[in-house]
Amino acid sequence: MDRRNFIRKAGYAAAATPALAAPAIAQSQPQIKWRMTSSFPKTLETLWGSAERFSQFVSEATDGNFQIQIFPAGEIAPALEAANEVGKGSIEMCQTASYYYWGKDPTFAFGTAVPFGLNARQQNAWMYFGGALDLMNAFYAAHNLIAFPAGNTGAQMGGWFRKEINSVEDLKGLKFRIAGFGGAVISKLGVVPQQLAGADVYPALEKGTIDATEFVGPADDEKLGLYKVAKYYYYPGWWEGGAMLHHMVNLDKWNELPKPYQAILKAGCANANVTMLAEYDQRNPGALKRLVAAGAILRPFPQDVMTACFAAANESYAEISAKNANFKTIYESMAAFRADAFLWQQVSEATFDNFMMAQQRKKQL
Amino acid sequence: MDRRNFIRKAGYAAAATPALAAPAIAQSQPQIKWRMTSSFPKTLETLWGSAERFSQFVSEATDGNFQIQIFPAGEIAPALEAANEVGKGSIEMCQTASYYYWGKDPTFAFGTAVPFGLNARQQNAWMYFGGALDLMNAFYAAHNLIAFPAGNTGAQMGGWFRKEINSVEDLKGLKFRIAGFGGAVISKLGVVPQQLAGADVYPALEKGTIDATEFVGPADDEKLGLYKVAKYYYYPGWWEGGAMLHHMVNLDKWNELPKPYQAILKAGCANANVTMLAEYDQRNPGALKRLVAAGAILRPFPQDVMTACFAAANESYAEISAKNANFKTIYESMAAFRADAFLWQQVSEATFDNFMMAQQRKKQL
């Protein structure tokens, strides 16, 4: 008799005894196997590693009874179709960035990051305590999804440029690989957003088919070697001042889940949320130093470029709000939160950080 | 037959069947009741609320089998004795700030915050991925403790002062209620650190028995009404640029815990870690605006005061490192991490934040 059969028979035998105890146990710790598709490849180690930690935690917390098998982008669903497949129910859950679904409805963008939106800490505060997670989940429910914050990259870099950007004029006609909301905003200033598969970016930059590409930040960008073909490394990525990842779950599957497993899944997401950002914060400084040593040239976007992009973003917010009620509601919630958050940040946080950054520049740390 | 007996009898009946299934269930979900003493009163809602969420999560995740009853400071252990009682084993775990035990060994301070140390995000990165949690737990093990990050206040305020501080000279003889490492550092500049129970602070400031007091930040400070008796509200609290809370567990009790409960307890702490900071970030801006409207006057510490305090802190680090090997090891780890972290922060994070803060000042948000 193999072990599996043996356990099953034990179960049947137990079921012959009075029925109250066994179901209580069965209900709280049933054996469940789920699949989680990621929008990211294994090569993006911090993102993929977070999915691995999550899956391992859920298994450990349930003594192996709730197993979530994880798949990198493309194995069971294309990267940018992850949430769509989960909504349909063909896959139980995914690790994704909600702004990938911006084309479906721009409201999706608020889950991850919007141009000149919130930084990573503010996004957490707005999501967990500013009402945003409830607003977003009410919106996601129409797509048969429920989402939980599950990571953040921090403020991303602006990307890799073949030429310096010295003024708004230099943006005109610039072929920049940038997707979604950021691409829509910057196109108002004459940029021509490009869509290109990851593997095609390096040769396209080398040949000059495109002029620039955005990606993530030093830790992830380092592997692409883009500094060899586009040495100007611009910052900040104002279209994602704190890009939040989510785990999205099919709403029916979520509702069927025993309460203890729901609690465990949510806590696994919270753990992913805090640890992913921490891992990026640990990995980015070393990667940045190596990139600069290898020839990358750091450049902030000029102030007039930032100001023009900010104005263009505000134009976009007004335009989309005029025709999309969900977007308007959530934008207004974000904007109100943002004004207070950046007021408060100027007091103790920024003053402490500025003093410490000044000491770093003076080599006093 | 009451339900309890009924379940027990069902259990006995099941035990008569082949033994493999039942023990597996019993081992993973035993009924365990623990106590957690907090170093904080219920009136500090964000801190206490975090303990409540943690306790509720552990119960939900284990279907009520692992119960952690929480007690505010003073009920089963004095606020500043929480970790000591847990180390002895009279209480299983506590919610506390490790720097409260600075007097026992200054190494404890690194768990929470040290003068001119890390901000909240950096403290997470250093703890989870920079090796600090392992270093700290190796140190805590000698006190029969294991600790998990479980919250952060963010950069605290410098506190409430009856008079303006315009220069280092103004610190001489200042009777300032400040404890631990911060108090030791600032005493080098002539400040006379005061120890005073919470309830005595308001009358002492009113009478002028003390000149100033530090506390936490707007959300917690608002309740004390200190602006009525000490209207200058200084920042930043350079002795805690990101004060991390911990849940500390008796090491023997921890080792006895089933692995699934260990995983759940750790995830509950991670959840507390990310949500407490988020709640402070949500509550502080409104509280700050109300305090200013009520008459509080915001003041940054003058640059020469900051620089003198930084020099005094570096003196303290050198002095303590010379006689305490654990302290030296962990200080060097923190200092190396800090230099890189504040280098990286100057790139995308600070540039994004500075642009947004400038828009806030221009009332463009």
Side-chain angles (χ1 to χ4, degrees), chain B residues 164-174 186 188-191 301-310 312:
Chain B
E164 283 188 271
I165 301 296
N166 293 314
S167 70
V168 176
E169 205 53 41
D170 290 342
L171 297 178
K172 298 231 162 72
L174 191 85
I186 206 166
K188 286 178 181 284
L189 300 168
V191 165
F301 285 122
Q303 276 301 301
D304 76 320
V305 168
M306 290 292 283
T307 305
C309 291
F310 181 60

Side-chain angles (χ1 to χ4, degrees), chain B residues 36 55 64 77 90 123 158 185 205 214 287-289 337:
Chain B
M36 176 164 96
S55 166
S90 61
Q123 179 79 359
V185 167
L205 273 174
E214 64 105 37
L288 180 76
K289 290 199 291 186
F337 186 92

Side-chain angles (χ1 to χ4, degrees), chain A residues 20 28 63 116 119 121 129 155-156 235-236 275 281 289 340 345-346 348-349 351 353 356 360-361, chain B residues 6 28 63 116 119 121 129 155-156 235-236 275 281 289 340 345-346 348-349 351 353 356 360-361:
Chain A
L20 207 61
S28 71
D63 209 18
F116 300 98
N119 66 26
R121 260 177 67 171
F129 294 96
Q156 296 197 6
Y235 60 89
T275 55
D281 283 345
K289 291 199 290 186
D340 274 0
Q345 190 174 341
Q346 286 169 70
S348 228
E349 293 288 348
T351 311
D353 288 348
M356 297 305 287
Q360 191 281 327
R361 290 193 295 277
Chain B
F6 184 71
S28 72
D63 209 15
F116 300 97
N119 66 26
R121 261 178 67 171
F129 294 97
Q156 296 197 6
Y235 61 89
T275 54
D281 282 345
K289 290 199 291 186
D340 274 1
Q345 190 173 341
Q346 286 169 68
S348 230
E349 293 290 346
T351 311
D353 288 348
M356 297 304 288
Q360 192 281 327
R361 289 192 295 275

Side-chain angles (χ1 to χ4, degrees), chain B residues 76-213:
Chain B
I76 59 171
L80 306 183
E81 291 293 324
N84 299 336
E85 290 303 318
V86 171
K88 282 190 244 165
S90 61
I91 300 166
E92 289 84 1
M93 68 183 291
C94 63
Q95 177 197 43
T96 193
S98 61
Y99 66 2
Y100 290 157
Y101 312 96
W102 182 81
K104 229 170 142 170
D105 184 326
T107 312
F108 273 102
F110 290 106
T112 304
V114 291
F116 300 97
L118 306 175
N119 66 26
R121 261 178 67 171
Q122 294 167 346
Q123 179 79 359
N124 274 338
W126 181 54
M127 276 285 151
Y128 289 127
F129 294 97
L133 192 54
D134 289 341
L135 286 171
M136 290 306 292
N137 275 328
F139 165 74
Y140 294 141
H143 301 270
N144 208 25
L145 295 166
I146 183 168
F148 306 100
N152 203 302
T153 62
Q156 296 197 6
M157 292 292 285
W160 300 91
F161 289 67
R162 284 165 52 97
K163 289 179 298 188
E164 283 188 271
I165 301 296
N166 293 314
S167 70
V168 176
E169 205 53 41
D170 290 342
L171 297 178
K172 298 231 162 72
L174 191 85
K175 285 170 282 175
F176 185 21
R177 182 180 177 258
I178 178 175
F181 205 165
V185 167
I186 206 166
S187 73
K188 286 178 181 284
L189 300 168
V191 165
V192 188
Q194 308 288 308
Q195 308 275 1
L196 219 63
D200 301 334
V201 173
Y202 189 103
L205 273 174
E206 193 169 29
K207 280 182 237 152
T209 318
I210 63 171
D211 302 306
T213 184

Side-chain angles (χ1 to χ4, degrees), chain A residues 7 21-33 57-67 257-262 264, chain B residues 21-30 60-65 258-261 264:
Chain A
I7 292 171
I25 290 164
Q27 202 171 33
S28 71
Q29 291 269 59
Q31 289 199 359
I32 293 180
K33 281 191 199 302
F57 159 68
V58 171
S59 174
E60 281 176 10
T62 61
D63 209 18
N65 288 308
F66 186 13
Q67 295 281 351
L257 213 55
K259 294 277 176 253
Y261 287 8
Q262 287 186 343
I264 286 166
Chain B
I25 291 163
Q27 202 171 34
S28 72
Q29 291 269 64
E60 281 176 11
T62 60
D63 209 15
N65 287 308
K259 294 276 177 253
Y261 287 8
I264 287 166

Side-chain angles (χ1 to χ4, degrees), chain B residues 228-252:
Chain B
K228 294 175 204 156
V229 287
K231 66 181 174 184
Y232 296 103
Y233 197 19
Y234 273 91
Y235 61 89
W238 46 260
W239 48 95
E240 35 200 344
M244 177 177 270
L245 287 297
H246 283 83
H247 291 177
M248 289 185 167
V249 182
N250 177 280
L251 197 50
D252 304 318

